Amino acid sequence: VLVQRLREAVPAVLPSLLQCDFGNLQREVDRLQAAGVKGLHLDVMDGQFVPNLTYGMPIVAALRRLTPLPLDVHLMIGAPDRYIEAFAKAGADLLTVHIEALTQPAATLAEIRRYGIGVGLAINPKTPLSMIEPWIDRCDLVLVMSVEAGFGGQSFDPHALDRLRQVRRLRDAAGRTDLLIEVDGGVNRQTIADCRAAGADLFVVGSALFGSSDYRTAVNELNLLIDSQSSTLG
Ligand code: DX5
Ligand code: ZN
């Protein structure tokens, strides 16, 4: 499955489609593919779980028709169980839900698993990591938020580095080399190398990419910064 393709691609930059040109998705996807990205990160917000409201299944389905790249769908919505089937059918390859939005994490994670797609669990900066610890063995990916979920363009919270290191330790302790560790929020040329050194595999980048006119150069620069740290990680 496509989650496996994502595993083979790490470390990798995943563009967050939040500040892109939604009037010309085809062109955006073409430019991102030409820039060599290994997957797309899609930010779904409901105006309830987070104050911002973005898009839902139709955009995921449209992107599915436009690209074979893995679609990493970040659900920032309350009671996400209601929509898991719909997002799976729209073409998500990996569905990430927020621990803060779950009343029965085991049931929600099992529901995602039922569709044969990747299972992700996200955690906001202020939520104790102990909240996700019991569920990590049921996940393919842990998303450590480095800003409070809701908006692009916020600045990176350096505490996320400690949290990445802790998740990395949990992963090593559990012998889960297949578990993907993703970081999201304020990741840019100033912060990406530290994120790599702290153990992140997947780097979600919004404004630092879509603010530049040349995606290929921007992605290459970020990849070089990631590679500058790789030797310190196993
Ligand atoms: C924030 C979203 C992020 C965001 C990243 O709630 O989950 O994916 O779009 O954007 P930047 O890179 O601008 O912080
Ligand atoms: Zn996101």
Side-chain angles (χ1 to χ4, degrees):
V1 260
L2 288 179
V3 179
Q4 189 52 33
R5 260 184 48 206
L6 218 43
R7 285 198 190 100
E8 286 156 13
V10 302
V13 169
L14 299 180
S16 146
L17 298 196
L18 199 53
Q19 278 122 313
C20 69
D21 179 3
F22 286 99
N24 207 334
L25 275 181
Q26 171 96 67
R27 179 164 172 271
E28 291 285 39
V29 167
D30 289 348
R31 290 173 68 203
L32 290 166
Q33 283 181 167
V37 305
K38 299 296 189 339
L40 302 178
H41 179 90
L42 310 183
D43 287 306
V44 175
M45 308 188 191
D46 67 351
Q48 298 279 340
F49 176 69
V50 291
N52 196 5
L53 195 152
T54 57
Y55 51 79
M57 292 81 78
I59 293 283
V60 177
L63 287 161
R64 180 72 298 157
R65 289 191 294 272
L66 291 176
T67 180
L69 285 175
L71 301 179
D72 167 30
V73 178
H74 179 190
L75 294 181
M76 287 161 272
I77 67 178
D81 305 61
R82 298 173 294 164
Y83 296 103
I84 287 168
E85 179 177 9
F87 279 103
K89 290 191 169 153
D93 297 300
L94 195 143
L95 266 185
T96 296
V97 290
H98 266 265
I99 187 69
E100 300 85 2
L102 305 184
T103 48
Q104 296 181 73
T108 306
L109 300 177
E111 169 73 1
I112 302 174
R113 185 72 69 199
R114 211 154 77 82
Y115 296 96
I117 57 178
V119 178
L121 191 55
I123 183 161
N124 269 325
K126 291 183 198 121
T127 307
L129 280 179
S130 57
M131 295 283 290
I132 59 166
E133 218 180 305
W135 314 114
I136 285 180
D137 60 345
R138 301 168 197 231
C139 295
D140 299 298
L141 173 147
V142 168
L143 169 50
V144 175
M145 292 302 298
S146 36
V147 301
E148 189 72 23
F151 296 92
Q154 304 183 74
S155 52
F156 185 85
D157 177 353
H159 288 123
L161 297 174
D162 254 322
R163 290 159 69 82
L164 285 169
R165 279 188 284 268
Q166 286 179 55
V167 172
R168 185 87 181 194
R169 275 197 290 274
L170 290 172
R171 169 172 109 174
D172 292 347
R176 284 288 313 282
T177 47
D178 60 309
L179 181 75
L180 294 163
I181 303 177
E182 183 175 53
V183 61
D184 183 3
V187 178
N188 56 32
R189 277 178 301 181
Q190 283 70 46
T191 55
I192 200 165
D194 288 343
C195 291
R196 179 57 178 160
D201 304 303
L202 294 170
F203 307 81
V204 177
V205 182
S207 18
L209 193 55
F210 292 97
S212 86
S213 52
D214 178 358
Y215 296 167
R216 187 197 294 261
T217 303
V219 169
N220 285 346
E221 283 176 358
L222 292 166
N223 278 329
L224 281 174
L225 288 159
I226 290 171
D227 289 342
S228 73
Q229 302 296 321
S230 296
S231 57
T232 62
L233 291 166

